[in-house]
Amino acid sequence: MSQFRPKYVTFDCHGTLINFQMAEAARDLYGSILDEARMKEFIKNFAAYRLDEIMGDWKPYAEVVHNSLERSCKRNNVVFRDEDARMVYERVPTWGPHPDVPAGLAKVAREIPLVILSNAMNDQIPSNVAKLGAPFHAVYTAEQAQAYKPRFQAFEYMFDMLGCGPEDILHCSSSFRYDLMSAHDLGIRNKVWVNRGHEPANPYYGYVEISDISGLPGVVGL
């Protein structure tokens, strides 16, 4: 992918750019009643159920959080309360970027339009994007696409809105399961994996690896 200059650099938002703190929220709720081993298992289950909840027809993200938290509680023999799910959901727009993000984004944004494709709600994402410290050409949500990543429909909605194809973009994400596997299958050849430690490397999917967003300008020759 030497010196590829895309029409757009597209991003996953939560986890890649925004410090996604679902695990911390779960610890705040249940850390006093679960020992460390059980807490880690709960966090793993909560992440898995969130992915499972978004694989079908679109539904509001509040329902995704509610259902996945309720299922995690049931699996781990913990009392579930509706207000706990609301608390987690309402935290999402308060989260800010990883420290490396604003400077790296700003440098790229001076030369190439930036786009977000997020598994977010329309009324929550503006607060997160405002904290990123760089201008974005467009921000697309699962609510707009009526589909969550990793479903192809979300990516296809972005292509349609941008008037481009998979050959025109560089997609950047910290997740294979939500982004890079689908990007590969859809023919997005130019991909960047931001190794945030969420998932292990998987070279089959063809990407440039960076440790954080400070490495992104170099990928596009800036």
Side-chain angles (χ1 to χ4, degrees), residues 1 6 10 12 14 18 31-32 39 62-63 67 70 76 79 83 87 98 109 113-114 148 151 181 194 206:
M1 204 178 73
T10 61
D12 166 62
H14 296 95
I18 293 293
S32 64
M39 191 70 246
E63 292 183 26
N67 295 350
E70 185 175 29
N76 290 276
V79 174
E83 56 265 38
M87 181 277 286
H98 295 284
L114 308 183
Y148 289 101
R151 293 192 62 200
M181 292 168 69
V194 187

Side-chain angles (χ1 to χ4, degrees), residues 8-216:
Y8 303 99
V9 181
T10 61
F11 295 89
D12 166 62
C13 187
H14 296 95
T16 302
L17 303 179
I18 293 293
N19 184 11
F20 194 59
Q21 299 176 63
M22 285 291 186
E24 290 83 350
R27 283 187 179 277
D28 288 345
L29 288 170
Y30 309 114
S32 64
I33 59 175
L34 297 175
D35 61 29
E36 183 60 18
R38 292 184 66 205
M39 191 70 246
K40 288 181 177 178
E41 180 67 15
F42 187 100
I43 290 168
K44 183 177 74 172
N45 298 157
F46 187 29
Y49 285 130
R50 289 198 308 276
L51 178 62
D52 184 65
E53 284 287 331
I54 64 173
M55 297 301 284
D57 292 339
W58 182 87
K59 56 193 169 193
Y61 196 64
E63 292 183 26
V64 173
V65 172
H66 180 283
N67 295 350
S68 56
L69 191 65
E70 185 175 29
R71 294 168 74 185
S72 300
C73 287
K74 180 179 180 180
R75 181 165 173 175
N76 290 276
N77 197 28
V78 173
V79 174
F80 170 77
R81 303 184 304 170
D82 288 342
E83 56 265 38
D84 292 338
R86 285 196 299 271
M87 181 277 286
V88 174
Y89 176 75
E90 290 170 0
R91 281 193 182 186
V92 175
T94 72
W95 296 334
H98 295 284
D100 54 275
V101 167
L105 284 184
K107 187 171 183 179
V108 176
R110 288 194 289 268
E111 301 290 336
I112 306 170
L114 308 183
V115 175
I116 282 174
L117 179 63
S118 176
N119 280 355
M121 297 292 290
N122 295 343
D123 63 349
Q124 286 196 320
I125 194 69
S127 178
N128 299 119
V129 174
K131 299 177 178 69
L132 294 176
F136 279 82
H137 171 78
V139 177
Y140 302 122
T141 68
E143 183 176 6
Q144 293 167 344
Q146 290 291 286
Y148 289 101
K149 299 176 297 178
R151 293 192 62 200
F152 291 177
Q153 181 178 328
F155 290 89
E156 290 165 343
Y157 174 83
M158 178 179 69
F159 295 149
D160 288 345
M161 296 302 293
L162 292 174
C164 73
E167 69 280 1
D168 297 318
I169 70 169
L170 170 66
H171 192 65
C172 182
S173 177
S174 61
S175 175
F176 291 96
R177 297 184 78 179
Y178 279 93
D179 282 86
L180 297 178
M181 292 168 69
S182 294
H184 173 272
D185 291 342
L186 284 166
I188 302 174
R189 296 184 60 189
N190 298 288
K191 300 178 290 296
V192 170
W193 176 45
V194 187
N195 186 357
R196 300 283 189 198
H198 307 320
E199 302 171 19
N202 195 332
Y204 172 82
Y205 291 101
Y207 53 83
V208 172
E209 178 181 345
I210 58 177
S211 60
D212 58 46
I213 297 298
S214 68
L216 184 59

